[in-house]
Amino acid sequence: MNLKILEDINSPEDLRKLPAEKLQEISAALRKFIIDIVATKEGHLGASLGVVELTIALHYVFNTPQDLLVWDVGHQAYGHKILTGRRENFHTNRRLNGISGFPKREESEYDTFGVGHSSTAISAALGMAIASNLKGEFKKHHIAVVGDASIASGMAFEGLNHAGVTKANLLVVLNDNAIGIDPSVGALKQYLTKARVGFKPKQSNIIEALNFKYFGPVDGHDIAGLLEVFEQMKQIEGPKFLHVITIKGKGLKKAEEDQVKYHAPGKFKPDTGELLPYDTAGLPLKYQDVFGLTLVELAKNNEKIIGITPAMPTGSSLKFMMQAFPERAFDVGIAEQHAVTLSAGMATQGFKVFCAIYSTFLQRAYDQVIHDVAIQKLPVVFCLDRAGLVGEDGATHHGVFDIAYLRCIPNIIIAAPSDETELRNLLYTAQLDLKLPMAIRYPRGRGVKIDWETPFEEIEIGKARCLKEGDEIAVLSIGNMAQNAAEAIKNIKTEKIGHFDMRFVKPLDEELLHIIFKKHKAFITIEDGTVTGGFGSAILEFAAKHDYKAKIKNLGLPDEFIEQGNINELQEIAKISVEYIEEEIVSLLQNL
Ligand SMILES: Cc1ncc(C[n+]2csc(CCOP(=O)(O)OP(=O)(O)O)c2C)c(N)n1
Ligand SMILES: CC(=O)[C@@H](O)[C@H](O)COP(=O)(O)O
Ligand SMILES: [Mg+2]
């Protein structure tokens, strides 16, 4: 395999100078480059392998960056990045101070729109197309590449519905590989499956749907066919829709065979695709698995329990409940708004719904939380996985706003377990006769306890707990920050520091806070979330309301977006690392 052919392609302009006959060879080289680098540097693999030919054909036929190309989600854009001047630094993908794992405007003129959350590409590309018309740039093309799971999301339909009544020079390319991270779901999936079965490449029939001129399905791995159909598209005005059939993981047999695992497989052998296993024996379980396994345990004894996930059965580990109780666990596709209001509807009928949504993706359903759940006091349980810094996915995926964006909503309980046993007991508590909505936030990755499966204990709503007595400085941590705080305190040889796991952001344990504020001279609050309106703000509000004049230091994320990197690097940048907490405590001690 001659990877050297890529060395002469530092932009799509270089690509377009080559004869079309070279593109097949370039596809093979690009595919191998992606496999080789992701095998060691990790990242999203399957989606990028599935669009190698599509990427090359798009940049070959359309005059990027003048023609505007928008990738939906953007996890499939590794080939795009490599062909647009980032081959040489692609090894820094998803690393601190490296390139982002998703298209990002400030990174390249070819990254026309920042993505990461799904289903935004049609709206963004349509916006660009209407803007081009307003500027008189009628010859400019605007292309949105959307996956079959992403196009099933409400926002994608909103974009299609609007585009259909415009004269926008918009091409929507549906990259249909019949899978999201997990198998795609829903009626649209069934409809698309029919179109896939026995489709004959090259047979592109033009029909109208939603005022779009619809073409396809065509073979997304046939470069010559793609060049032909894109050239055809360029001649047609107005909104166009091309249905492309691809295989996620194309070109790496194991990735084609296990498309769920190879969405983001970790390290693997590039030549065989064989995963490089790492020994998890003796490691604590992932929080998501504690959630998933505990929910099954609770559902066995409570037939009112239902589980909901918007397209993340594997990521959230709701898959365990889907396997154990398929009639009571639902993957609704990439549809967070629907997931929340569906849960609310079920709750009106007496069911206890555990709606498992990554913290960052719940942002997509904010009004549904307020309007459909909280106002009606419906006891939905929001299981907010990936709460806090998540690492390599970066700013679009950190779950760092949920405390702030939920805390201002009346009727909602917000809890954050400090370890897996606490998560387990909060889940148990939530399915008792709770009459209000409750959010339970927990981080990405592994917990800290091996022996988390202790007998269930009900936790009193709003009740905090003292982890360490000490009368001068009170460290108030929420959730997983208890671990960082405890380690920092352990390093400081003094008995003057008290540590309290506050457990609940709302309602606060005001009885305990009054005791603490009457006894301690200084306070540090610590949260894996934004300080702006977060847990620390709640403590400041409490102190102000009761006229406590204490020194209070709030540790948490600053009012800026934190980019990608590993968790330790990012906690240092966000000043919630063990070392930084220790420094802050020592500084307070010295100034008592
Ligand atoms: C709003 C939102 N919800 C969930 C996700 C998580 N997610 C990332 S990729 C993906 C599946 C996308 O499937 P598809 O659109 O078919 O693209 P493919 O991976 O098949 O190329 C999901 C659910 C997300 N990025 N954004
Ligand atoms: C691209 C995307 O949005 C998902 O693949 C996300 O990266 C999953 O995150 P986890 O790896 O934390 O499940
Ligand atoms: Mg797909």
Side-chain angles (χ1 to χ4, degrees):
M1 172 62 58
N2 169 18
L3 286 185
K4 284 186 75 58
I5 193 170
L6 294 177
E7 288 171 12
D8 300 330
I9 303 171
N10 295 301
S11 73
E13 286 83 355
D14 296 338
L15 184 73
R16 292 191 278 261
K17 288 175 192 150
L18 300 171
E21 296 68 40
K22 293 291 273 182
L23 298 183
Q24 198 57 48
E25 186 186 349
I26 292 166
S27 299
L30 181 57
R31 184 165 268 119
K32 177 153 178 30
F33 187 96
I34 292 170
I35 290 171
D36 288 351
I37 210 154
V38 177
T40 52
K41 303 297 183 185
E42 303 188 47
H44 291 102
L45 180 72
S48 286
L49 292 182
V51 297
V52 164
E53 289 81 8
L54 193 55
T55 304
I56 288 170
L58 283 166
H59 280 296
Y60 193 77
V61 173
F62 291 98
N63 183 33
T64 53
Q66 285 67 35
D67 288 339
L68 301 174
L69 174 59
V70 186
W71 294 96
D72 200 277
V73 180
H75 63 312
Q76 78 288 64
Y78 290 10
H80 160 84
K81 292 206 171 195
I82 292 159
L83 293 176
T84 54
R86 287 162 281 184
R87 184 189 69 255
E88 289 186 349
N89 63 345
F90 195 75
H91 63 280
T92 69
N93 183 39
R94 293 160 50 91
R95 290 172 186 267
L96 184 64
N97 303 323
I99 59 175
S100 165
F102 305 99
K104 191 174 165 189
R105 286 175 52 82
E106 66 194 53
E107 198 173 285
S108 164
E109 60 180 330
Y110 291 93
D111 292 6
T112 59
F113 200 71
V115 285
H117 286 195
S118 82
S119 318
T120 62
I122 296 170
S123 301
L126 177 60
M128 295 170 193
I130 293 171
S132 295
N133 283 349
L134 291 172
K135 291 192 283 183
E137 296 168 356
F138 301 111
K139 293 295 177 206
K140 186 175 274 203
H141 296 280
H142 312 80
I143 308 107
V145 181
V146 196
D148 57 289
S150 297
I151 205 164
S153 189
M155 191 176 166
F157 184 76
E158 291 165 22
L160 290 171
N161 185 49
H162 179 196
V165 291
T166 71
K167 293 188 174 12
N169 189 0
L170 171 71
L171 168 60
V172 174
V173 179
L174 168 61
N175 171 33
D176 178 6
N177 55 20
I179 190 167
I181 297 177
D182 296 277
S184 304
V185 296
L188 183 61
K189 158 66 181 277
Q190 289 178 358
Y191 172 78
L192 292 175
T193 303
K194 288 195 193 96
R196 279 175 81 94
V197 172
F199 88 94
K200 293 183 183 52
K202 307 254 189 288
Q203 183 192 24
S204 73
N205 49 336
I206 304 179
I207 55 175
E208 292 268 338
L210 284 178
N211 292 348
F212 273 80
K213 294 181 184 65
Y214 171 95
F215 294 78
V218 299
D219 179 353
H221 301 299
D222 167 13
I223 284 214
L226 288 171
L227 298 183
E228 184 188 333
V229 77
F230 284 141
E231 287 296 352
Q232 196 186 351
M233 297 280 147
K234 281 174 74 171
Q235 312 312 319
I236 298 171
E237 291 183 357
K240 300 160 283 291
F241 190 102
L242 173 67
H243 182 182
V244 174
I245 305 287
T246 62
I247 297 167
K248 192 164 185 176
K250 174 79 175 178
L252 184 68
K253 191 166 179 298
K254 283 190 180 293
E256 293 182 23
E257 289 166 350
D258 187 349
Q259 294 176 334
V260 173
K261 181 63 195 163
Y262 282 79
H263 171 81
K267 290 183 171 59
F268 60 92
K269 290 181 183 168
D271 47 346
T272 65
E274 193 187 339
L275 296 176
L276 295 183
Y278 55 95
D279 184 7
T280 58
L283 288 181
L285 224 52
K286 289 182 180 178
Y287 274 102
Q288 68 185 75
D289 292 333
V290 173
F291 157 73
L293 295 169
T294 301
L295 195 61
V296 171
E297 205 176 326
L298 294 171
K300 279 179 186 147
N301 302 311
N302 180 344
E303 61 186 16
K304 291 295 184 187
I305 287 178
I306 291 177
I308 303 281
T309 173
M312 306 297 279
T314 299
S316 68
S317 290
L318 190 77
K319 64 184 178 183
F320 298 130
M321 173 122 180
M322 292 169 74
Q323 288 150 8
F325 299 102
E327 73 288 355
R328 282 196 277 151
F330 303 91
D331 173 4
V332 298
I334 307 180
E336 285 81 6
Q337 297 175 340
H338 168 62
V340 172
T341 306
L342 178 80
S343 304
M346 291 169 168
T348 64
Q349 302 307 303
F351 283 91
K352 174 63 71 174
V353 185
F354 288 75
C355 189
I357 299 191
Y358 286 19
S359 163
T360 189
F361 299 145
L362 185 66
Q363 292 161 194
R364 188 58 68 85
Y366 191 53
D367 182 51
Q368 286 73 19
V369 172
I370 295 172
H371 182 270
D372 302 331
V373 176
I375 287 180
Q376 302 185 95
K377 294 185 186 171
L378 290 168
V380 172
V381 184
F382 295 102
C383 302
L384 300 188
D385 195 344
R386 277 50 170 195
L389 292 165
V390 296
E392 290 75 7
D393 270 345
T396 54
H397 283 63
H398 294 317
V400 294
F401 304 109
D402 57 270
I403 294 178
Y405 72 63
L406 291 175
R407 194 169 72 83
C408 58
I409 303 172
N411 302 336
I412 197 161
I413 296 163
I414 306 169
S418 56
D419 61 34
E420 304 92 301
T421 303
E422 284 281 293
L423 171 58
R424 176 177 167 78
N425 288 332
L426 283 167
L427 292 167
Y428 169 72
T429 302
Q431 55 92 45
L432 297 174
D433 59 349
L434 201 60
K435 298 285 185 255
L436 284 174
M438 178 170 177
I440 304 172
R441 74 184 311 254
Y442 46 95
R444 182 178 198 269
R446 295 188 183 281
V448 292
K449 293 185 82 167
I450 302 296
D451 57 342
W452 55 273
E453 284 174 290
T454 52
F456 286 121
E457 276 179 46
E458 183 179 355
I459 292 179
E460 185 183 339
I461 297 297
K463 197 81 187 135
R465 56 182 188 152
C466 176
L467 297 180
K468 181 180 176 298
E469 294 291 349
D471 295 348
E472 310 259 346
I473 292 178
V475 176
L476 310 180
S477 64
I478 190 74
N480 60 319
M481 285 295 105
Q483 310 305 330
N484 286 21
E487 195 172 330
I489 292 166
K490 196 172 64 184
N491 298 341
I492 304 168
K493 305 297 173 228
T494 172
E495 290 311 310
K496 295 180 180 177
I497 307 165
H499 180 195
F500 302 87
D501 168 18
M502 295 309 288
R503 262 180 174 162
F504 293 86
V505 174
K506 192 173 188 182
L508 285 174
D509 186 340
E510 297 210 350
E511 185 186 347
L512 175 65
L513 285 172
H514 281 298
I515 295 167
I516 299 174
F517 270 90
K518 288 186 174 86
K519 198 158 84 174
H520 295 74
K521 297 190 183 91
F523 297 79
I524 292 185
T525 66
I526 310 169
E527 58 200 293
D528 190 358
T530 180
V531 284
T532 313
F535 163 66
S537 299
I539 300 298
L540 291 175
E541 289 159 19
F542 171 85
K545 180 178 168 189
H546 299 286
D547 209 19
Y548 288 117
K549 301 271 185 280
K551 179 168 180 49
I552 303 174
K553 177 81 180 170
N554 300 133
L555 301 187
L557 273 66
D559 184 20
E560 59 192 54
F561 289 105
I562 303 285
E563 299 304 344
Q564 73 278 357
N566 71 47
I567 290 290
N568 293 333
E569 291 168 333
L570 299 186
Q571 287 192 352
E572 215 169 293
I573 291 167
K575 298 182 178 173
I576 53 173
S577 63
V578 172
E579 295 71 23
Y580 190 80
I581 295 168
E582 194 178 326
E583 275 173 36
E584 282 303 316
I585 295 172
V586 167
S587 161
L588 275 183
L589 277 172
Q590 288 163 350
N591 296 294
L592 276 180

